[in-house]
Amino acid sequence: MPSTTPPADPPRPPRTAAVIPAAGRGVRLGPGAPKALRTLGGTPMLIHAIRAMAASRAVSLVVVVAPPDGAPEVKHLLDEHALPERTDYLVVPGGETRQESVGLGLDALPEDVSVVLVHDAARPLVPVDTVDAVAAAVRDGAPAVVPALPLADTVKEVEPAGTPGEPEPVIATPVRARLRAVQTPQGFDRDTLVRAHAEVAVDGEGATDDAGMVERLGQPVVVVPGHEEAFKVTRPLDLVLAEAVLARRRANDGF
């Protein structure tokens, strides 16, 4: 007699979410609105960053970590701008530090999310191919993945001056071929990143980002190619460059 047991459902692929900490003030861009809410081409940088994450078909949820008292404002901002409908969005209040804000974003993730991308709101123009590459490398088994570029400049390690502006003695010249400038989104196996946030403190002497925290756990971090347009908008000149990149995209691609 043939079996009447229904066939088992195929396993679902791991769900990927992006966490965007956007609680910082961005003092290097000068006074005014928080950096993430500064406009680029007439649209807040945060919206550009959200769209960049949602453009990846791997990302089904974007969690925006707002300033501690600014969640209603950020929710209103998302409602005012067109975002891909196939992606879910969630806004949660952040903490006093970036580490606290990322941790609060992790706490808000549904249980079925197993891959997490952490992206700087101040990198509004990261191409979707970079987002896809990071997510794919985590899905393929890497516990932590960072996009990065080779350095164009020679780097010197120095002994910091006691007074700003004073000459600083050079200690060493690292081999440039072994150095990379790291970008975001950084991608992680969720359990690994949660453990890193529970066990590792960020400080000026070691871990200064989420991937560095994972390194301190003794877990491997791998690099995939980054992109020159994924630069961080930190200073006024960066904003000028970002406007130029956005204008070129709109002219060439109707972005």
Side-chain angles (χ1 to χ4, degrees):
M1 182 175 179
S3 173
T4 58
T5 303
D9 292 333
R12 293 183 177 182
R15 191 179 182 201
T16 300
V19 174
I20 302 180
R25 298 301 304 180
V27 293
R28 281 177 287 183
L29 275 178
K35 185 192 322 184
L37 302 185
R38 302 292 180 91
T39 59
L40 175 60
T43 300
M45 284 200 294
L46 175 60
I47 297 299
H48 286 288
I50 293 170
R51 288 173 176 167
M53 295 300 99
S56 171
R57 292 195 172 275
V59 176
S60 60
L61 170 66
V62 176
V63 177
V64 181
V65 188
D69 57 352
E73 179 185 2
V74 172
K75 287 179 182 178
H76 181 68
L77 191 69
L78 267 62
D79 291 338
E80 286 185 323
H81 292 83
L83 299 171
E85 295 182 356
R86 58 179 171 75
T87 306
D88 295 328
Y89 305 93
L90 181 63
V91 178
V92 298
E96 294 301 319
T97 67
R98 186 183 186 280
Q99 183 181 10
E100 291 176 4
S101 293
V102 174
L104 290 166
L106 290 175
D107 291 343
L109 294 178
E111 291 185 1
D112 62 345
V113 170
S114 59
V115 177
V116 182
L117 308 183
V118 181
H119 184 58
D120 293 334
R123 297 183 189 270
L125 300 178
V126 57
V128 66
D129 288 351
T130 302
V131 183
D132 289 343
V134 172
V138 180
R139 290 197 305 269
D140 288 344
V145 180
V146 295
L149 293 175
L151 297 184
D153 298 322
T154 297
V155 175
K156 300 290 185 183
E157 182 181 355
V158 303
E159 182 66 41
T163 303
E166 288 187 351
E168 299 174 320
V170 171
I171 298 174
T173 302
V175 179
R176 188 172 63 183
R178 296 176 61 89
L179 301 177
R180 298 292 183 270
V182 173
Q183 302 174 325
T184 69
Q186 298 183 355
F188 304 92
D189 165 75
R190 177 182 180 167
D191 291 341
T192 300
L193 185 58
V194 168
R195 181 183 160 210
H197 273 263
E199 299 181 13
V200 178
V202 172
D203 57 54
E205 298 299 323
T208 57
D209 63 0
D210 296 281
M213 295 166 67
V214 171
E215 288 178 52
R216 285 197 171 187
L217 291 179
Q219 294 293 315
V221 177
V222 300
V223 169
V224 297
H227 196 280
E228 61 183 6
E229 293 181 2
F231 61 90
K232 191 172 186 178
V233 178
T234 302
R235 297 175 176 83
L237 186 59
D238 301 326
L239 195 57
V240 174
L241 178 58
E243 291 279 6
V245 171
L246 185 59
R248 186 187 66 187
R249 286 187 182 182
R250 286 174 170 170
N252 293 342
D253 307 321
F255 178 82

